[in-house]
Each structure stands twice: as C-alpha cells, then as structure tokens.
Amino acid sequence: MPKLFIKIKRQDTPEADSYWEDFKISHKPGMSVISVLKSIEQKPLNARGEEVAPVVFSSSCHQEACGLCTMVINGRVQNACSVKVDELSQPISIEPLKKFKVERDLVVQKLSAIKPLKELKAWLAFDGTYDVGEAPIYGEEEASRSDTLSTCIRCMACLEVCPRFNERSAFVGAMAIASVSNLSQHPVGDFLKSARLEKLLDKGGLYDCDNVGNCQKACPKNIPLFDVIVELKKDASRMMG
Amino acid sequence: MKKPRVVVLGSGSSGLMATIKFAESGIPVTLVSALPSYAAHSSSLCHGLALPQNPREAGDSDALFLKDIITAADGLADQNSLKNLTDWSGRIYRLLTRLGIAFSTTQENRLDFRPAEGARVYRTLYAGFHTGRRLLYALDQVVRSFEEKGLVTRRDNLEFVSLIRSAEESVCGLTVMNKLNMDLEYIKADIVVAATGGFGQIFLNNTHPQVATGLAVSVLYQQGARLANMEFVQSQMGALHTLDGSLNVAPYALSEGGRFFIETGGKRWYFLEENFPKYRNWVTSDAVHRFLFDKYRDKAKLTGEYPLVYFDLSHRPRELFEGRLKNLREQVKKFTSHDIAHSPVPVSSAVTSTLGGLETDNYHMTNISGLFACGDAGHRYKGAYQPDNMVYLTSLYSGYWAATHALLYASGLNRGADSVPESVFDDELKRQHEANRTMLDLAGQEKPRLLFEELKHWMSDQATVVKDEAGLTKAADKILELKKRFERIKLADTGRFLNEELLFARRLWGALELAQAVVAASKARKESRGCHYRTDYPLRDDALFLKASSITYNSMGPVVEFKDIDQSVITPPHRAYC
C-alpha cells in the first residue's frame, strides 16, 4: 500500500518551542488532509514507529462550512477538509496559522479576530424579538451581493495572508470589513450604517489596508474581498465630501 | 427571584435565541460553549424555512401546515405544542428578515416559495444555499451587541462536565472544564438551559459536527434527567459521503427540482415519482428508506458504498447553475468531484437528525427543577420524523420559549444558588477532579478511538434505518461489552494541555450511555412509526404506542416507559404519501 510522507510542525504548549515531526500514513483514495490527521489520531505513531501524542487540530463540519480547520499546507493557507492529498506534492508539510497564537500543535487562538466585529458594531439595529413587523425584501442586486458576502465561514485565511494584519497593527482585516459591508446594505435603512463607517475610517480601519489584495486570492469561497474594500474606500471618500 | 443567574449551554442557533430572549429581558446570561458560534451545526445546513403563506398555493393554510407536520411525525406529535410552534412560523420569518436574511425572490422580486419534503404545496423559503449559516451569523451578531452592553458573557472553549444540584434537587450550578489547561471550575446558576444539539456522531455515516456526541445530554441523563423518543433516529437518503463525513445537500437540491432514480437494466427508474405520485421526490426520507428496504431486503444497499440511488439535477436550465445552484454545484464538486450540472450523483443514507433528547414538559423544563432544554438537545416538536423545513422553527421557537418559561420559573423562586452552601460546589469540583485523574491514570490496552468506531458501526447497522429484536439485542450486548472495555482504556495523551484524548474519552463514555438508551427504547417500541422501522413489527400501532417513550437512567440498564401525548387538535393521520 502506498505511503504518504507528512511533516507536521508541532508545539506542546503555548510557551514551548515548536518542532517538526514526521509521519508515514497509508494512502487511501479520496483522502483529505483531515483524513490524514484522523489517521494519526487512530494510530499515533511517528515515522520512526515511536508512540507519540496524537496531533491536536481543530475541525468540526468536514465540509468547509465551520471555518475551524484552516492551516498552512505545503506553504498555502487552506481548509484541511477541502484539500485532497492527491493534489499535493510530497512530503506534505502541515503547519498552524502564523498570525494567531498557537495553543497546541495545529490549534490556534482565533478569537482575537472576532473582537473587531464588536469594535465595528457589526450588527444591525434591532428592536428586539417582539413581532414589530417585516423588513422590506432585498432588491436583486443587494440580495446577490449579500449572498456572496454571506458565504464567509470565518476561516480567517484572508487574515493569515494579509501583510497588515498582525500583532503590531490595529488593522481589523478583510473578514470584519466584509462582514460590516454585508450589513450596511440591508434595506431596512440601517441606522448604524454611518456609525460603522465612522469606525471604519478610524485607526485600524479601511485606510490601514495597503491594497495588496492577498485576501481575495486566499479566500476559499472566492469572496471578492479586495473589491469590497476598494468600493468601501470610494463610499468613504464620497461621505467625507 | 428578580435576577436569576442564567447559564445557557451551547451557542448554536437555539442557544443564541434563548440568550437573546434573556438579554432583552434585562437578565444577564453566561453563554458557555465548547466551540465558537460560527462553527455550530447550522453553519453547514442548507435547509429552508417553512412558511404557509404562498399566495400561489390557494389551498395552503396554518391548518394544512400543522396537518402535514403531524403526518410527517407519523402521528407522534404533542399536538398542542406543535400547533403553537407552527403558528409562530410567520413571526419567525419576520424576525429573520429584520436580522438581514435575504430570502430568494421571484422575477417580480416577491418571495419565492419552493418545495420541501413532507408536503405537496410549495411553502418553503431559502436564503440561497447557506440559509443555515446566515441565520446563525445573524443571531450571533445580535448576541454580540448584547455582549457590548454587558448583558452576555461568552465563555467559549469550555466543555460541560456536570450539573450541580442543591439539597432540594434543583439546579444551583454546573462544573465545566477549560479545554486548554483542563482546569475545572464551577459556575453558579439558578437556571441552566441545555442547547447542546443532537448526538448524530454516535452513528457511522452522519452529517453532524465532530463534537455532536451528545455529551451534555448524556451526563444530564446519568444525573437523573429523563430522555424521550431516543429510538427515533432520522436518516436522509440523499447524502454524499466523503472519507471524513457526509454532506446533506438534499434539502436545497430537492427545492430546485432534483429527482431520485435507480439504474436498472440500463434504464432510469424514477422510483419515487412512480410509486408516490402525490408527493413524488418530496416524500419524507423515512418513507424512501422503507420503500427501498421493502424492495431489496438488504440494509447494505441503503447504507453502504454500493451506489444504488442517484440524485439528478442535470436536467435543470443552465442559467440556474450560474445562479441559485452555483454554490451547491461548487460544494459538490469540491468534495466529490461530481459536477451536478452534467451528471447525476450517487447518494446513500446518512443520519441527519437525532429526534430524541432531554424530556421536557410544556414549559421546556426537564424533570430537574431549573434545567431547561431547547433545540435538538430536547425531544419536543420532532415526533417520529421532522421535515427539514422545520428545523429552524423548532430551534428558534424552543430557544425563545425555554428562556421565557425559565424566567417564569425563576419568578417563583424564593432562594437561589447563592443560598446553597459553598461545600456543595467544592465537593462536586473535587469529585470531578478525581474522575479526571482516574481517567488519565487508566493503563489498559484498549484505544478509545477504536472503541468509538466499533460503537458507530454497530449503531448504524442495528439502530438506524432498519431494526429487529435480534439485532437490537446483539447491539445491547455489544454496548455492555464496550462499556467493560472502556474500563481498560489507555489515553494516547496524558498531558494537561489541550488534551483532546481526555475530552474524547469522556465523549465516548457519554455516547455509550446514549447508545444504550437508543437501543433500549428501540426494543421497547414494538411497532414501526416514522424513522423507527422494525421488520418484526412493521405496522403502526396507535393503540399501544401512540405515546412518547420516556427513558430513565439506571445503572442496571435504561428503564423505558411510554407516556401519553396531547391529541386535542386532529385525529392522528396515517401517512398517505402514495
């Protein structure tokens, strides 16, 4: 049975040093990188045949809907469940995301990327669950745009590849900007829209984007993130007069 | 009590809804969850929302909607509760529009009502392929606004460990484990709402998130909360299998005119259209399973890799594949390499819903005072089969009302968690520390992950689409064997940091207990109804079994009884899908 050669960058605790570990896995048709990691879980032996603690990783849906299994595979940031090993050159290298704090092995702390959603007030003005009425139906164009933006699964690939998203910068990142943009076209006449735009023009917002465009290339759902940001910058210029 | 301490367990759509209701009532909530909200089960659902207000369906009405759902539930519906739920569909629809969910429209930009299983009328709305994710994110956003106001404290990365009860047996708190450093802590609470979802992962092929093993429900059951209707395990014939799991794209695909067929002698046999002329491809999936088993008498043909059934959308207009079918097409291509625009896809059976759960009364309270349940963690509203266009309604309605009823309950409380001696909490913490220590020290030969695979195989073989006495008895014995072998496990990781093996072992134990309940209830229900099909009792028996099963934990084995349900609205209809 053919074998796959895997190298995984491991780390035992947040403070510990990272190290690489080699594995040899039996190949099965249709295997994804998740299948590889699950195979190690079932039989946690490294390439030298030594018993090791299984590689720890985050995953949930295994159909690229939950955004949890994002990692760097052969140097590219991808969701492990959607990557077939047959498309990868060997040895296959698997590393955690670099922009987020490693907790253990391939698990990183991603909640820091959700925080900007609070700062940007990424929610609609809401009177409560009382039955106050129905919102107007979206127009076709807004509905289509909203549909595209709503395919975001919060995998944070866009943040991983963005040169401006890091510990030293306050930049909120493409994911938060796209999320806010999605809200701002709600036909109900969203009363927080200008408050959000104001925040976006503040430190860490739109103008911290350097127009590099890596986000759009990395997005597994093909959301036109860069185009959205450019559009918002135009809106902002208009607003400022 | 004016300001009870509230903990909501589980931050999926139902838990988020309950949280919103508490917060807008001015009651602070601690929202405890193992995973962040955006990873909850709803993020992968393509189901639609039922709304019986299609102007093009002159015959549709709230009454017909209720009748269809009770029929789909094969009569096993607590009718009054279900009527209250179905009456709320308009309200839930209106709420979702205000939360920014754009339902698909016609060319005149009016709501486009589509078909769904279990009904002859078109009464289902979709917000594109990702309706579930949009709904989830919308609720998540509202909760975030309440976090900003200080009314909600989110605690992610916590695994539920146990419930703490006062001397009077009512809820006064819970213990949780921090997944990172395995620290245990207790949280005091007067109200706990269990919104932890279903337990599909105890079966082999299923569409549930990895954590959906029902751990919290299992622990609560072992601590004395009764379960109900555990024998009803719903499968969908229309799932796509990958090595890592199953995708359920059937709800959305069926709404856009998909057709099921079987290839026989080089010809396509549209077996549903032929045998169910009234409902055609929209018969409930349990009827599909039953038809196929009755014809082929071979379980493996339904659940195995053998491609028997195909699903076809390739006859649909090309524009749809650039529009409404684009996301579905990309998803199928990414995970199975099939292109639905050009060819049919082979499908087979996967568990999509577990209809059993914590037994609750009309006020969403379990038999433990102060412990409420909503969404898939509870049994209510689902009956013997739940059409896919009901899932969001059940989740949101029950979340809202569990919170409302919990506040009513709290208003009657004179004393709360604060008056319970500190020793009660400390003792429980100590007990759980010891339990963790014991598990880390186990030094046998068995591997938990392999034991779980055995359990899943057995449960899928004997307790899903087709059951009989002999198979269930063997499954019951197997589970007992697995429980004994569990005592001889060794964890592959005994560290104290993000120890997934310890978490997994605890989930395995939870799964074994729930599996016992499923098998015991399946044995006790000697009839067939909805997704519970017994070849030795193939007919529905209303005289004996028009009742919900009620399962009580006992160390000698689950104790099953049957309880009456409300039948006050209509005579429970029999299925007439042909």
Side-chain angles (χ1 to χ4, degrees):
Chain A
M1 196 179 290
K3 293 273 182 191
L4 295 165
F5 292 90
I6 320 280
K7 294 165 17 127
I8 302 183
K9 191 173 194 199
R10 306 195 64 172
Q11 188 169 324
D12 295 343
T13 69
E15 288 76 38
D17 288 330
S18 61
Y19 59 97
W20 287 89
E21 186 135 54
D22 292 342
F23 296 88
K24 255 193 307 197
I25 311 293
S26 301
H27 175 272
K28 270 202 291 240
M31 273 186 117
S32 70
V33 171
I34 287 286
S35 319
V36 165
L37 294 169
K38 278 172 82 170
S39 177
I40 297 173
E41 261 179 357
Q42 303 274 3
K43 207 167 143 191
L45 298 172
N46 66 14
R48 289 197 294 269
E50 296 158 343
E51 261 181 39
V52 294
V55 176
V56 183
F57 64 100
S58 295
S59 81
S60 184
C61 70
H62 297 181
Q63 46 188 290
E64 208 172 49
C66 69
L68 290 188
C69 67
T70 328
M71 42 190 86
V72 179
I73 300 164
N74 280 6
R76 270 188 65 208
V77 60
Q78 298 167 94
N79 296 306
C81 61
S82 67
V83 180
K84 296 274 182 283
V85 299
D86 291 339
E87 292 160 15
L88 297 172
S89 61
Q90 294 207 39
I92 298 170
S93 80
I94 309 175
E95 308 166 69
L97 300 180
K98 294 179 174 51
K99 293 290 179 65
F100 301 92
K101 187 168 199 293
V102 173
E103 288 176 337
R104 188 175 168 187
D105 289 343
L106 300 168
V107 177
V108 299
Q109 169 56 273
K110 274 179 169 177
L111 288 177
S112 56
I114 299 287
K115 241 181 50 191
L117 293 175
K118 237 190 262 180
E119 288 155 13
L120 290 172
K121 295 204 188 302
W123 51 79
L124 290 169
F126 183 58
D127 283 339
T129 62
Y130 321 100
D131 197 8
V132 297
E134 184 179 334
I137 293 182
Y138 274 65
E140 198 192 309
E141 217 181 278
E142 287 82 11
S144 167
R145 191 174 181 278
S146 181
D147 198 43
T148 306
L149 293 173
S150 299
T151 57
C152 174
I153 60 171
R154 307 228 160 123
C155 71
M156 326 274 189
C158 55
L159 305 178
E160 174 72 3
V161 299
C162 173
R164 293 295 310 226
F165 183 84
N166 53 55
E167 294 170 333
R168 298 176 304 280
S169 133
F171 182 46
V172 296
M175 186 203 84
I177 296 176
S179 178
V180 162
S181 166
N182 193 4
L183 296 170
S184 294
Q185 51 174 55
H186 191 263
V188 88
D190 178 26
F191 298 101
L192 288 174
K193 182 171 176 170
S194 52
R196 272 190 230 112
L197 202 48
E198 223 178 277
K199 252 320 174 160
L200 271 181
L201 299 175
D202 207 355
K203 181 168 180 284
L206 278 179
Y207 292 104
D208 277 21
C209 164
D210 272 347
N211 296 341
V212 171
N214 285 350
C215 48
Q216 186 151 323
K217 290 193 211 110
C219 176
K221 299 295 183 184
N222 297 316
I223 300 172
L225 294 165
F226 180 58
D227 297 344
V228 165
I229 294 177
V230 164
E231 206 184 306
L232 273 174
K233 284 185 182 175
K234 288 199 194 123
D235 276 349
S237 308
R238 245 174 273 132
M239 191 185 104
M240 295 193 295
Chain B
M1 183 179 290
K2 283 245 164 73
K3 275 233 156 60
R5 293 213 223 183
V6 174
V7 169
V8 173
L9 257 186
S11 63
S13 52
S14 205
L16 289 171
M17 190 67 183
T19 301
I20 291 168
K21 178 59 180 167
F22 282 120
E24 77 183 11
S25 309
I27 306 294
V29 180
T30 303
L31 179 54
V32 169
S33 184
L35 293 179
S37 286
Y38 61 83
H41 193 179
S42 303
S43 65
S44 65
L45 295 184
C46 66
H47 301 29
L49 180 82
L51 180 68
Q53 290 174 22
N54 184 355
R56 294 197 265 195
E57 294 281 8
D60 203 6
S61 63
D62 287 347
L64 178 60
F65 180 34
L66 176 63
K67 177 157 180 265
D68 282 345
I69 304 305
I70 296 176
T71 306
D74 219 350
L76 194 72
D78 194 289
Q79 291 185 6
N80 228 347
S81 308
L82 205 49
K83 180 173 193 305
N84 290 336
L85 167 59
T86 53
D87 283 349
W88 255 56
S89 64
R91 181 164 172 168
I92 287 172
Y93 156 73
R94 289 187 286 278
L95 171 67
L96 293 177
T97 61
R98 289 164 49 218
L99 292 178
I101 293 168
F103 290 103
S104 302
T105 50
T106 62
Q107 41 190 2
E108 223 187 81
N109 213 37
R110 296 178 188 276
L111 285 176
D112 190 11
F113 291 88
R114 309 292 307 156
E117 64 171 354
R120 296 175 67 187
V121 296
Y122 286 26
R123 63 160 80 102
T124 308
L125 299 174
Y126 294 81
F129 180 52
H130 305 292
T131 309
R133 190 176 312 146
R134 300 189 67 155
L135 183 152
L136 177 67
Y137 279 34
L139 295 170
D140 180 48
Q141 282 162 13
V142 175
V143 167
R144 196 162 294 108
S145 72
F146 281 119
E147 285 178 76
E148 177 77 349
K149 295 197 183 107
L151 280 163
V152 175
T153 307
R154 226 188 261 254
R155 310 261 334 255
D156 280 350
N157 264 336
L158 291 184
E159 191 102 333
F160 174 71
V161 172
S162 67
L163 194 69
I164 308 177
R165 297 159 77 170
S166 65
E168 292 81 35
E169 299 293 324
S170 54
V171 165
C172 63
L174 59 154
T175 55
V176 291
M177 177 155 57
N178 183 325
K179 284 166 70 176
L180 294 178
N181 52 25
M182 321 311 282
D183 268 357
L184 291 172
E185 69 175 271
Y186 60 75
I187 304 175
K188 293 190 186 181
D190 304 301
I191 292 169
V192 171
V193 179
T196 52
F199 55 93
Q201 281 290 347
I202 77 173
F203 303 94
L204 185 60
N205 295 320
N206 69 79
T207 60
H208 283 220
Q210 293 297 297
V211 294
T213 57
L215 174 66
V217 168
S218 183
V219 170
L220 293 167
Y221 159 63
Q222 293 171 58
Q223 288 192 275
R226 285 191 297 267
L227 302 176
N229 286 350
M230 292 294 281
E231 62 273 35
F232 296 103
V233 176
Q234 186 166 320
S235 295
Q236 169 66 253
M237 174 59 71
L240 302 166
H241 292 322
T242 67
L243 275 185
D244 310 324
S246 303
L247 279 67
N248 181 19
V249 298
Y252 191 73
L254 279 171
S255 79
E256 293 288 346
R259 304 169 78 189
F260 285 105
F261 69 84
I262 290 171
E263 217 156 82
T264 52
K267 285 221 184 75
R268 287 185 185 184
W269 175 38
Y270 291 93
F271 61 102
L272 294 178
E273 293 169 19
E274 193 183 290
N275 289 282
F276 298 91
K278 278 201 220 164
Y279 285 74
R280 297 177 289 140
N281 294 289
W282 303 305
V283 288
T284 55
S285 205
D286 54 349
V288 178
H289 282 91
R290 218 166 138 164
F291 174 83
L292 290 173
F293 183 78
D294 287 348
K295 173 153 177 69
Y296 293 101
R297 308 306 290 186
D298 182 356
K299 258 192 244 184
K301 278 209 155 74
L302 304 182
T303 57
E305 272 107 74
Y306 178 103
L308 173 69
V309 180
Y310 287 81
F311 190 78
D312 196 8
L313 274 165
S314 61
H315 54 283
R316 301 295 285 141
R318 301 297 94 188
E319 316 85 73
L320 274 185
F321 293 102
E322 298 309 312
R324 295 190 344 188
L325 287 176
K326 182 159 173 259
N327 288 331
L328 168 60
R329 184 186 183 191
E330 275 165 16
Q331 181 80 338
V332 174
K333 234 197 266 189
K334 198 179 261 197
F335 286 95
T336 71
S337 321
H338 289 291
D339 188 351
I340 56 169
H342 296 118
S343 60
V345 276
V347 292
S348 60
S349 185
V351 169
T352 50
S353 256
T354 48
L355 303 181
L358 292 167
E359 181 188 84
T360 57
D361 60 16
N362 285 334
Y363 305 99
H364 296 91
M365 196 158 83
T366 64
N367 55 297
I368 296 179
S369 295
L371 175 67
F372 294 78
C374 59
D376 260 359
H379 85 287
R380 205 151 262 281
Y381 311 109
K382 296 181 269 178
Y385 190 90
Q386 180 177 60
D388 47 61
N389 62 1
M390 290 295 291
V391 299
Y392 308 132
L393 294 180
T394 305
S395 169
L396 267 50
Y397 176 87
S398 62
Y400 177 97
W401 282 102
T404 308
H405 291 137
L407 291 176
L408 274 172
Y409 157 82
S411 68
L413 283 181
N414 289 323
R415 295 162 352 122
D418 283 333
S419 63
V420 175
E422 211 64 25
S423 57
V424 170
F425 300 98
D426 290 329
D427 285 348
E428 181 60 20
L429 207 56
K430 212 163 135 226
R431 212 181 345 259
Q432 295 303 334
H433 269 299
E434 276 161 26
N436 263 1
R437 185 78 262 146
T438 305
M439 201 166 298
L440 286 166
D441 286 346
L442 287 172
Q445 298 295 324
E446 298 277 7
K447 299 190 165 129
R449 294 203 181 258
L450 297 181
L451 291 182
F452 213 139
E453 287 301 302
E454 273 190 65
L455 174 68
K456 284 153 87 92
H457 273 97
W458 272 85
M459 290 305 285
S460 270
D461 279 345
Q462 304 302 344
T464 55
V465 293
V466 183
K467 308 171 196 171
D468 60 47
E469 186 79 24
L472 290 168
T473 306
K474 279 198 229 133
D477 290 338
K478 184 63 176 180
I479 297 167
L480 285 174
E481 176 206 308
L482 289 171
K483 283 174 90 170
K484 286 215 178 65
R485 288 165 65 192
F486 183 91
E487 289 159 28
R488 302 193 302 269
I489 58 170
K490 183 176 196 301
L491 300 185
D493 183 0
T494 51
R496 299 284 310 180
F497 206 86
L498 232 182
N499 188 336
E500 279 288 344
E501 299 307 299
L502 173 63
L503 295 172
F504 184 85
R506 298 186 61 257
R507 286 184 208 137
L508 168 58
W509 183 260
L512 288 167
E513 292 290 352
L514 288 187
Q516 267 193 304
V518 171
V519 170
S522 298
K523 273 181 106 175
R525 183 176 289 274
K526 295 189 195 304
E527 63 147 7
S528 290
R529 186 182 297 267
C531 59
H532 169 78
Y533 176 36
R534 285 190 58 164
T535 49
D536 43 0
Y537 295 95
L539 297 175
R540 179 170 133 177
D541 183 355
D542 283 358
L544 284 179
F545 292 109
L546 188 50
K547 296 169 199 269
S549 65
S550 176
I551 302 125
T552 310
Y553 176 78
N554 186 295
S555 56
M556 301 298 291
V559 176
V560 184
E561 20 165 352
F562 288 91
K563 294 185 175 169
D564 284 327
I565 52 180
D566 175 75
Q567 301 291 312
S568 52
V569 184
I570 57 175
T571 314
H574 277 258
R575 299 269 192 86
Y577 289 153
C578 326

